[in-house]
Every structure is written in C-alpha cells, then in structure tokens.
Amino acid sequence: MNELPLGWLFTLLGLLILFSAFFSSSETGMLSLNRFRLKHLANEGHRGAKLAQRLLKKPETLISVILIGNNLVNIAAASLATVIAIRLMPGNQDLALAASTVVLTFVVLIFAEVTPKTLAQRHPERISFIAAYPLRVFATLLAPAVWLVNHIVKAIFWLMRVGHRKASSESISPEELKTIVYESSATLPQDKQSMLLGILELENVTVDDIMVPRNEVAGIDMEGTVEEIADSIRQTEYTRFPLYKGDVDKVIGILHIRDAAEFLYADSPSKVMLTKAAKDPYFVPEGTRLHTQLMNFQSQQLRMALVVDEYGDIQGLVTLEDLLEEIVGEFTTDQANSNKEVHPQRDGSYVIDGTASIRDINKLLNWDLPTDGPKTLNGLILEQVEAIPDANLSLKIGNYLIEILQINDNAVIAARLTSLELE
C-alpha cells in the first residue's frame, strides 16, 4: 500500500467512508420504518417493501450484517488514514497518528454518522427500500461471520443467564390504536376520526351510560282507558315504546307506531289489538358493554332493549339509535332539543337538570366530571354529600363548583355548575 499514489489512497478512503455512511443510514432507516405502513406497501406489491419486511423478520441477523460491515469499513478507514498521515508527515509518526485520529473522527462523525442517520430518520422508506437490495447481498456474503457472531452472543447471554427474546407481536392494543387515530388528524377528516374513536370507545362504555333512565321512559300504560291510550299514542314523539300495566317493571311488549294504526282507526278499538301487535320485550343486564350490545342487537335483529339490574328491576331503556350516536354523534340537528337539560347562563355558568347524564354533560361542554361512579348529576351530588342535601348547598368536585338550586322527592332537580378553569 506504501507504493500506491496518494490520490488512490484518498479515493479508497472516500469509498470506505461512503460504505460507512451506507451502513449507518441503513440501520437508522430500517429501524425507523413504520411496520404497519411497511406491511401495507408489501401487500400492495412494492418490491423494496417486501424485501425490507423479509429482512426485518430476523432483526438479529440484519443488525449483525450492518454492524459487521460498518466496523470492517471503519477499521479499514482508520488504518488507511494512518498510512496517509504517515506518508504526508514522514518525519513525525506520533503527530501523524494523532492528526489522522482527530481528522478521521471528525470526518466519520459528520459524513458517515450524523448526516446519513439524520437523512435516514427523515426519509426512512426512501433509504431503506433502496438499501434493502445491497443488504440482501451483504447478508449472503457475510453469512458465516453473522452465524459466528450470533452464536458467540448467545453464549454470552447464556453465561449471563439472560433469557431468550420473546417473539415480537405486530398486534396493537385498543389504546395504541386510539393513539394512532389521534396522530392521524393531519390526514384523517375530523368526522371520520371521531367515528373511529367512537367505535374504539364502545369497549369502555356500558348500556348504563347511554340508557334513558327509568323515570324518563315514555311508555303506554295499558291500564288506562282506550281513549287515554289512543291520546298517548297520538302524542308520543317516539317510533317505538313499551307497553306496561300500571308500572314500568310490568312491561308486556314493545310496540312500533305503525302497528298501532289499526287500533287508532278502528271503529271499535280494543287493547287486544295493541297487545297482539306488540313484540316481546328484550332485556339486557346492566353493565353490558356497548360493543357487546351492538352485536346483540344485530344477532337478535332488534332496536330496543330494557336494562335490568340483578333483581330484574328495570333501570332504563336503550335503543340502537342511542348506541349508534356514540359512534357517529347526535342524529338530531335541533340543538335546543338536544341541550334541553343544559341551560347556559350569562355569567358563564350552566343550570343543569339533575337527571342529566354526566357523560352527556362532559361531551356537550367538554368537561371532565367523574364518570366512574354515578351516571347522573343527581347521583354524583348525592354521592359526594352522602346525604339528602338542602337547597343552596354548594360543593366543589374537581375543577367544578356546584350549587344546588332545587330539591324535590329527595332528589336534586336542578343545580348550577361553574368551571373554575375558566376563571
């Protein structure tokens, strides 16, 4: 090598630095690839993606190939730089060695480490899909060395009592999937993002959270007169409603409004017309997850269910529409009707009915009232004070100030809520 011209030596050194940059960028690029996008591109038939995916299936082999190649070229570059330095400063070898070490370290750091790795981190696909082809060739050429290195490493792990690496799984949890959906806001429309998050949230929400409470269930009492029943049907705003005898717990069927036509227009209407037209009630236990209930509605081909507790007492009513609204949002565009339980005040506070659902309050006002206990505002207040409170009592829950305005029948009818975060 001492006989080679300096020009050749500098050229060879430059090639070694380029090889070092290639191995450095390949390592960063491969490890920075989005595995899910990589799988998508591979399924679409992208050749570079397929090859990169094949290499990443054996990460130990890939890392060994890259590190062996990188160390070989770096050591060769260091030796060559020493030769060049000695040729340039023949009279002072110590200075030549020091100079070659400092200069080569700076050159390798800038041109073979920081620059290529930063570039690969910014454009991992562009770098990795091109690098995959030469890496496959290097994997074949360096196979004996890779085999030897990997077995030595395994022996070291065995001596250190380090267990085997667990097989990696490409599956992701619902929480991780939510994060992916959140992070895709730049490319995913807001309405689609909300729908996806709504679907993922079904697993954490139960029928108790969205049901119409028992005291708000609108049904038809079959113990009334025929005229009273007919008036109730004509005045109802619902398509389906339960029929019961005297008490909601005594439901005898679910009636669709179209099936009441014969009763309404008959010359001699009778209650039997309604009971024959009604379908058997469908009951679900409280605490049923919404994703389970959605499948139940689909399998049973039903759109309404009555929620019962462990004693069989009816706690409320849930419909398919209520469940779908958790995914796509409110169907109604009548804001006055949808917000009828929440009344904004000029001072920034809100007068809210005690029967209002805490989840609905949080969604409407973008608040964070606790939802892991009672489902209604009345229940939340009673849980906090642990007694039947007096009117005008004030309490603080988290960052929210609550003033009780009206109490009736041992329940909070209305309360004023103020978010302290706004102050």
Side-chain angles (χ1 to χ4, degrees):
M1 187 170 291
N2 289 330
E3 289 77 18
L4 290 175
L6 281 174
W8 283 87
L9 295 180
F10 276 111
T11 302
L12 184 57
L13 180 60
L15 290 175
L16 291 174
I17 292 174
L18 285 178
F19 272 108
S20 180
F22 163 77
F23 285 116
S24 296
S25 61
S26 299
E27 178 184 9
T28 301
M30 284 289 187
L31 298 180
S32 299
L33 285 173
N34 184 312
R35 299 299 177 91
F36 302 103
R37 176 168 171 77
L38 178 63
K39 180 180 287 188
H40 168 71
L41 292 175
N43 292 336
E44 291 290 319
H46 193 291
R47 294 183 60 187
K50 286 183 177 180
L51 187 53
Q53 187 181 45
R54 197 176 305 129
L55 291 171
L56 286 169
K57 286 183 178 178
K58 296 182 178 179
E60 298 92 344
T61 300
L62 176 62
I63 293 299
S64 296
V65 170
I66 293 175
L67 293 181
I68 290 173
N70 204 15
N71 280 280
L72 282 174
V73 297
N74 284 342
I75 293 173
S79 301
L80 188 58
T82 301
V83 172
I84 293 174
I86 293 175
R87 292 272 297 273
L88 292 175
M89 292 179 286
N92 194 335
Q93 292 189 359
D94 292 338
L95 181 60
L97 292 173
S100 66
T101 300
V102 172
V103 173
L104 184 64
T105 298
F106 181 79
V107 171
V108 169
L109 184 65
I110 297 298
F111 297 101
E113 292 291 338
V114 176
T115 300
K117 285 187 174 182
T118 302
L119 183 64
Q121 193 275 330
R122 293 181 179 178
H123 307 283
E125 292 180 7
R126 187 180 304 177
I127 298 296
S128 300
F129 294 165
I130 296 175
Y133 293 96
L135 283 177
R136 181 176 61 175
V137 176
F138 285 123
T140 302
L141 296 176
L142 298 174
V146 171
W147 180 88
L148 178 61
V149 169
N150 285 340
H151 277 73
I152 293 175
V153 171
K154 289 179 180 179
I156 295 174
F157 283 168
W158 180 81
L159 291 173
M160 297 174 62
R161 299 294 188 268
V162 177
H164 293 288
R165 179 182 69 90
K166 294 182 179 180
S168 59
S169 173
E170 294 188 353
S171 61
I172 59 176
S173 67
E175 294 302 322
E176 292 170 331
L177 188 54
K178 287 180 187 178
T179 301
I180 293 176
V181 175
Y182 277 121
E183 293 297 325
S184 63
S185 58
T187 57
L188 194 65
Q190 179 63 39
D191 55 344
K192 294 183 179 179
Q193 184 186 41
S194 298
M195 288 178 63
L196 289 173
L197 291 173
I199 293 173
L200 294 173
E201 194 64 30
L202 292 183
E203 186 177 1
N204 301 322
V205 185
T206 68
V207 292
D208 310 45
D209 296 314
I210 68 169
M211 70 180 183
V212 178
R214 172 195 173 99
N215 62 321
E216 296 182 18
V217 172
I220 304 298
D221 187 357
M222 296 301 290
E223 291 188 350
T225 65
V226 171
E227 291 75 15
E228 291 174 342
I229 293 175
D231 289 340
S232 297
I233 293 176
R234 291 189 182 98
Q235 294 173 13
T236 186
E237 58 184 278
Y238 300 104
T239 305
R240 293 175 178 83
F241 43 84
L243 304 179
Y244 61 88
K245 289 186 176 182
D247 188 84
V248 177
D249 280 322
K250 299 176 182 178
V251 174
I252 60 176
I254 303 296
L255 184 69
H256 194 288
I257 190 67
R258 65 168 177 262
D259 296 326
E262 181 183 1
F263 170 83
L264 293 175
Y265 297 105
D267 293 332
S268 300
S270 66
K271 299 179 183 180
V272 177
M273 292 179 179
L274 296 179
T275 56
K276 284 185 176 180
K279 295 183 178 180
D280 292 337
Y282 171 48
F283 301 96
V284 297
E286 60 181 354
T288 302
R289 301 286 180 182
L290 289 195
H291 71 283
T292 301
Q293 188 55 46
L294 179 61
M295 302 304 295
N296 291 342
F297 274 140
Q298 184 180 33
S299 62
Q300 300 286 339
Q301 296 185 344
L302 296 172
R303 302 171 69 95
M304 178 180 288
L306 297 165
V307 182
V308 297
D309 62 13
E310 58 182 319
Y311 303 106
D313 296 330
I314 293 177
Q315 301 300 305
L317 181 148
V318 63
T319 66
L320 179 61
E321 287 76 11
D322 295 329
L323 199 153
L324 292 178
E325 284 184 351
E326 289 296 309
I327 300 175
V328 301
E330 296 288 341
F331 291 141
T332 178
T333 57
D334 185 355
Q335 294 298 318
N337 182 60
S338 61
N339 301 345
K340 60 185 179 182
E341 295 178 324
V342 179
H343 312 280
Q345 306 299 302
R346 292 183 178 180
D347 60 358
S349 64
Y350 296 86
V351 173
I352 304 177
D353 294 354
T355 56
S357 165
I358 296 175
R359 291 188 72 254
D360 291 342
I361 296 172
N362 287 341
K363 289 168 64 175
L364 180 64
L365 304 179
N366 196 26
W367 284 4
D368 192 27
L369 289 167
T371 57
D372 54 351
K375 307 303 180 183
T376 64
L377 178 60
N378 170 61
L380 179 64
I381 294 173
L382 295 182
E383 181 187 59
Q384 292 294 319
V385 299
E386 299 181 342
I388 303 301
D390 297 325
N392 300 323
L393 174 68
S394 297
L395 64 152
K396 181 172 176 290
I397 300 177
N399 293 319
Y400 306 97
L401 181 63
I402 302 176
E403 179 188 355
I404 300 173
L405 299 180
Q406 183 180 358
I407 293 178
N408 188 27
D409 294 334
N410 297 326
V412 176
I413 303 302
R416 184 191 304 273
L417 276 73
T418 304
S419 174
L420 301 180
E421 295 178 349
L422 300 178
E423 299 181 354

